[in-house]
mmCIF file of all heavy atoms in Angstrom:
data_model
loop_
_atom_site.group_PDB
_atom_site.id
_atom_site.type_symbol
_atom_site.label_atom_id
_atom_site.label_comp_id
_atom_site.label_asym_id
_atom_site.label_seq_id
_atom_site.Cartn_x
_atom_site.Cartn_y
_atom_site.Cartn_z
ATOM 1 N N ARG C 94 1.231 -11.687 -11.420
ATOM 2 C CA ARG C 94 2.320 -12.639 -11.145
ATOM 3 C C ARG C 94 3.215 -12.866 -12.353
ATOM 4 O O ARG C 94 2.756 -12.872 -13.485
ATOM 5 C CB ARG C 94 1.744 -13.983 -10.742
ATOM 6 C CG ARG C 94 0.924 -13.952 -9.501
ATOM 7 C CD ARG C 94 0.262 -15.299 -9.274
ATOM 8 N NE ARG C 94 -0.773 -15.159 -8.282
ATOM 9 C CZ ARG C 94 -0.747 -15.752 -7.100
ATOM 10 N NH1 ARG C 94 0.214 -16.551 -6.792
ATOM 11 N NH2 ARG C 94 -1.719 -15.546 -6.246
ATOM 12 N N THR C 95 4.480 -13.079 -12.041
ATOM 13 C CA THR C 95 5.453 -13.598 -12.985
ATOM 14 C C THR C 95 5.901 -14.941 -12.406
ATOM 15 O O THR C 95 5.470 -15.303 -11.306
ATOM 16 C CB THR C 95 6.663 -12.651 -13.123
ATOM 17 O OG1 THR C 95 7.417 -12.674 -11.918
ATOM 18 C CG2 THR C 95 6.237 -11.229 -13.436
ATOM 19 N N PRO C 96 6.767 -15.682 -13.093
ATOM 20 C CA PRO C 96 7.229 -16.934 -12.495
ATOM 21 C C PRO C 96 7.960 -16.753 -11.159
ATOM 22 O O PRO C 96 7.988 -17.662 -10.332
ATOM 23 C CB PRO C 96 8.179 -17.498 -13.559
ATOM 24 C CG PRO C 96 7.684 -16.932 -14.847
ATOM 25 C CD PRO C 96 7.182 -15.559 -14.499
ATOM 26 N N THR C 97 8.527 -15.578 -10.901
ATOM 27 C CA THR C 97 9.315 -15.386 -9.675
ATOM 28 C C THR C 97 8.778 -14.319 -8.733
ATOM 29 O O THR C 97 9.240 -14.230 -7.596
ATOM 30 C CB THR C 97 10.763 -15.007 -10.034
ATOM 31 O OG1 THR C 97 10.740 -13.819 -10.834
ATOM 32 C CG2 THR C 97 11.443 -16.134 -10.798
ATOM 33 N N ARG C 98 7.830 -13.506 -9.177
ATOM 34 C CA ARG C 98 7.365 -12.390 -8.340
ATOM 35 C C ARG C 98 5.854 -12.254 -8.380
ATOM 36 O O ARG C 98 5.193 -12.710 -9.308
ATOM 37 C CB ARG C 98 7.979 -11.083 -8.835
ATOM 38 C CG ARG C 98 9.463 -11.026 -8.672
ATOM 39 C CD ARG C 98 9.949 -9.639 -9.003
ATOM 40 N NE ARG C 98 11.347 -9.538 -8.690
ATOM 41 C CZ ARG C 98 12.300 -9.433 -9.592
ATOM 42 N NH1 ARG C 98 11.990 -9.378 -10.866
ATOM 43 N NH2 ARG C 98 13.557 -9.356 -9.229
ATOM 44 N N LYS C 99 5.335 -11.567 -7.357
ATOM 45 C CA LYS C 99 3.903 -11.248 -7.310
ATOM 46 C C LYS C 99 3.747 -9.857 -6.711
ATOM 47 O O LYS C 99 4.380 -9.528 -5.704
ATOM 48 C CB LYS C 99 3.149 -12.261 -6.455
ATOM 49 C CG LYS C 99 1.675 -11.904 -6.275
ATOM 50 C CD LYS C 99 0.960 -12.881 -5.377
ATOM 51 C CE LYS C 99 1.086 -12.390 -3.953
ATOM 52 N NZ LYS C 99 0.250 -13.092 -3.005
ATOM 53 N N ILE C 100 2.903 -9.075 -7.338
ATOM 54 C CA ILE C 100 2.564 -7.756 -6.793
ATOM 55 C C ILE C 100 1.057 -7.708 -6.641
ATOM 56 O O ILE C 100 0.313 -8.031 -7.561
ATOM 57 C CB ILE C 100 3.056 -6.611 -7.703
ATOM 58 C CG1 ILE C 100 4.584 -6.583 -7.714
ATOM 59 C CG2 ILE C 100 2.487 -5.276 -7.238
ATOM 60 C CD1 ILE C 100 5.171 -5.456 -8.524
ATOM 61 N N ARG C 101 0.618 -7.312 -5.459
ATOM 62 C CA ARG C 101 -0.816 -7.194 -5.166
ATOM 63 C C ARG C 101 -1.221 -5.733 -5.335
ATOM 64 O O ARG C 101 -0.622 -4.834 -4.745
ATOM 65 C CB ARG C 101 -1.094 -7.671 -3.757
ATOM 66 C CG ARG C 101 -2.551 -7.560 -3.371
ATOM 67 C CD ARG C 101 -2.857 -8.404 -2.184
ATOM 68 N NE ARG C 101 -2.903 -9.793 -2.652
ATOM 69 C CZ ARG C 101 -2.941 -10.844 -1.846
ATOM 70 N NH1 ARG C 101 -2.933 -10.692 -0.555
ATOM 71 N NH2 ARG C 101 -2.989 -12.064 -2.349
ATOM 72 N N VAL C 102 -2.263 -5.521 -6.129
ATOM 73 C CA VAL C 102 -2.787 -4.178 -6.387
ATOM 74 C C VAL C 102 -4.218 -4.127 -5.858
ATOM 75 O O VAL C 102 -5.028 -5.002 -6.167
ATOM 76 C CB VAL C 102 -2.769 -3.864 -7.897
ATOM 77 C CG1 VAL C 102 -3.332 -2.476 -8.161
ATOM 78 C CG2 VAL C 102 -1.368 -3.980 -8.461
ATOM 79 N N ILE C 103 -4.516 -3.124 -5.060
ATOM 80 C CA ILE C 103 -5.871 -2.930 -4.541
ATOM 81 C C ILE C 103 -6.380 -1.615 -5.141
ATOM 82 O O ILE C 103 -6.040 -0.534 -4.661
ATOM 83 C CB ILE C 103 -5.887 -2.901 -3.003
ATOM 84 C CG1 ILE C 103 -5.288 -4.194 -2.448
ATOM 85 C CG2 ILE C 103 -7.321 -2.692 -2.492
ATOM 86 C CD1 ILE C 103 -5.129 -4.229 -0.955
ATOM 87 N N PRO C 104 -7.161 -1.713 -6.221
ATOM 88 C CA PRO C 104 -7.596 -0.491 -6.921
ATOM 89 C C PRO C 104 -8.326 0.511 -6.037
ATOM 90 O O PRO C 104 -8.246 1.712 -6.278
ATOM 91 C CB PRO C 104 -8.521 -1.019 -8.024
ATOM 92 C CG PRO C 104 -8.095 -2.429 -8.233
ATOM 93 C CD PRO C 104 -7.641 -2.915 -6.882
ATOM 94 N N GLY C 105 -9.042 0.061 -5.016
ATOM 95 C CA GLY C 105 -9.790 0.967 -4.147
ATOM 96 C C GLY C 105 -8.926 1.940 -3.373
ATOM 97 O O GLY C 105 -9.419 2.941 -2.856
ATOM 98 N N PHE C 106 -7.606 1.701 -3.289
ATOM 99 C CA PHE C 106 -6.703 2.603 -2.580
ATOM 100 C C PHE C 106 -6.269 3.790 -3.451
ATOM 101 O O PHE C 106 -5.603 4.685 -2.972
ATOM 102 C CB PHE C 106 -5.454 1.870 -2.106
ATOM 103 C CG PHE C 106 -5.684 1.001 -0.896
ATOM 104 C CD1 PHE C 106 -4.697 0.131 -0.478
ATOM 105 C CD2 PHE C 106 -6.854 1.047 -0.169
ATOM 106 C CE1 PHE C 106 -4.884 -0.673 0.638
ATOM 107 C CE2 PHE C 106 -7.055 0.248 0.941
ATOM 108 C CZ PHE C 106 -6.054 -0.613 1.347
ATOM 109 N N TYR C 107 -6.618 3.769 -4.724
ATOM 110 C CA TYR C 107 -6.200 4.818 -5.650
ATOM 111 C C TYR C 107 -7.339 5.803 -5.875
ATOM 112 O O TYR C 107 -8.500 5.472 -5.684
ATOM 113 C CB TYR C 107 -5.780 4.210 -6.991
ATOM 114 C CG TYR C 107 -4.541 3.346 -6.894
ATOM 115 C CD1 TYR C 107 -4.638 2.011 -6.554
ATOM 116 C CD2 TYR C 107 -3.283 3.876 -7.139
ATOM 117 C CE1 TYR C 107 -3.511 1.213 -6.459
ATOM 118 C CE2 TYR C 107 -2.154 3.090 -7.054
ATOM 119 C CZ TYR C 107 -2.270 1.757 -6.711
ATOM 120 O OH TYR C 107 -1.151 0.987 -6.613
ATOM 121 N N GLN C 108 -6.989 7.001 -6.331
ATOM 122 C CA GLN C 108 -8.001 8.021 -6.593
ATOM 123 C C GLN C 108 -8.927 7.616 -7.729
ATOM 124 O O GLN C 108 -10.099 7.965 -7.730
ATOM 125 C CB GLN C 108 -7.339 9.357 -6.928
ATOM 126 C CG GLN C 108 -6.710 10.024 -5.741
ATOM 127 C CD GLN C 108 -6.088 11.358 -6.112
ATOM 128 O OE1 GLN C 108 -5.873 11.665 -7.278
ATOM 129 N NE2 GLN C 108 -5.789 12.164 -5.106
ATOM 130 N N ASN C 109 -8.403 6.889 -8.720
ATOM 131 C CA ASN C 109 -9.197 6.492 -9.874
ATOM 132 C C ASN C 109 -9.063 4.977 -10.075
ATOM 133 O O ASN C 109 -8.252 4.531 -10.890
ATOM 134 C CB ASN C 109 -8.747 7.258 -11.120
ATOM 135 C CG ASN C 109 -9.678 7.070 -12.281
ATOM 136 O OD1 ASN C 109 -10.562 6.215 -12.259
ATOM 137 N ND2 ASN C 109 -9.480 7.869 -13.309
ATOM 138 N N PRO C 110 -9.836 4.169 -9.340
ATOM 139 C CA PRO C 110 -9.702 2.714 -9.438
ATOM 140 C C PRO C 110 -9.963 2.168 -10.838
ATOM 141 O O PRO C 110 -9.312 1.216 -11.259
ATOM 142 C CB PRO C 110 -10.748 2.183 -8.462
ATOM 143 C CG PRO C 110 -11.127 3.319 -7.593
ATOM 144 C CD PRO C 110 -10.837 4.566 -8.365
#
Side-chain angles (χ1 to χ4, degrees):
R94 298 173 194 244
T95 69
T97 58
R98 294 188 173 110
K99 175 183 89 170
I100 293 183
R101 179 162 285 169
V102 179
I103 303 174
F106 284 170
Y107 294 86
Q108 288 181 344
N109 190 349

